[in-house]
Amino acid sequence: MDNTTPIIRVFFAKMKPDFFQLSEEEQGQFMARDRANLDALGMKAISMIDCTKTDDKWDYIGVESWPSMEALEQREWFEKEELQISRYVVYRVHWGVEQSFEEYGQA
């Protein structure tokens, strides 16, 4: 895979109590910084699933498309160093390259 191949990332997230202890203004600032970085790096949201009413383990599951591995690496640095996301969110991510489903199960 070269560095310009689009990457699909699936994430699972559960908000920690520390996030809810932020004021509404601080939560808004956190989310605005997060969104600005996602937009700047070219992330396209494929799907976002709100599981807060149906799943005790995860609050959100999302599928994202990233323009390159380099963009995803920059994102992961931002999450860790700038947002300090592990302070506010329990999360898990998986990523790979898109594959067509058209041929699946076809004889």
Side-chain angles (χ1 to χ4, degrees):
M1 169 176 60
D2 68 40
N3 199 31
T4 60
T5 301
I7 306 295
I8 302 299
R9 181 171 84 157
V10 177
F11 72 85
F12 301 81
K14 176 85 170 170
M15 306 310 288
K16 289 183 174 180
D18 280 356
F19 181 77
F20 299 108
Q21 291 174 359
L22 296 172
S23 69
E24 284 187 35
E25 181 179 346
E26 290 169 321
Q27 288 179 15
Q29 291 170 349
F30 179 91
M31 291 184 287
R33 286 181 60 217
D34 188 29
R35 180 59 185 260
N37 180 260
L38 293 167
D39 291 345
L41 293 174
M43 186 280 294
K44 291 186 175 107
I46 296 171
S47 183
M48 178 76 147
I49 304 163
D50 181 342
C51 304
T52 55
K53 306 260 190 293
T54 59
D55 189 335
D56 290 335
K57 186 168 184 174
W58 302 111
D59 291 336
Y60 301 98
I61 300 171
V63 182
E64 309 162 330
S65 177
W66 291 86
S68 66
M69 190 64 213
E70 180 181 0
L72 186 54
E73 288 169 349
Q74 289 176 19
R75 174 60 186 181
E76 289 179 345
W77 180 89
F78 181 82
E79 288 174 339
K80 181 180 178 187
E81 301 297 329
E82 294 291 323
L83 285 181
Q84 298 180 347
I85 201 162
S86 62
R87 178 177 175 190
Y88 301 106
V89 182
V90 175
Y91 66 98
R92 184 174 187 167
V93 297
H94 299 277
W95 54 265
V97 295
E98 188 170 7
Q99 184 175 0
S100 172
F101 195 70
E102 288 184 28
E103 302 284 325
Y104 179 80
Q106 301 296 323

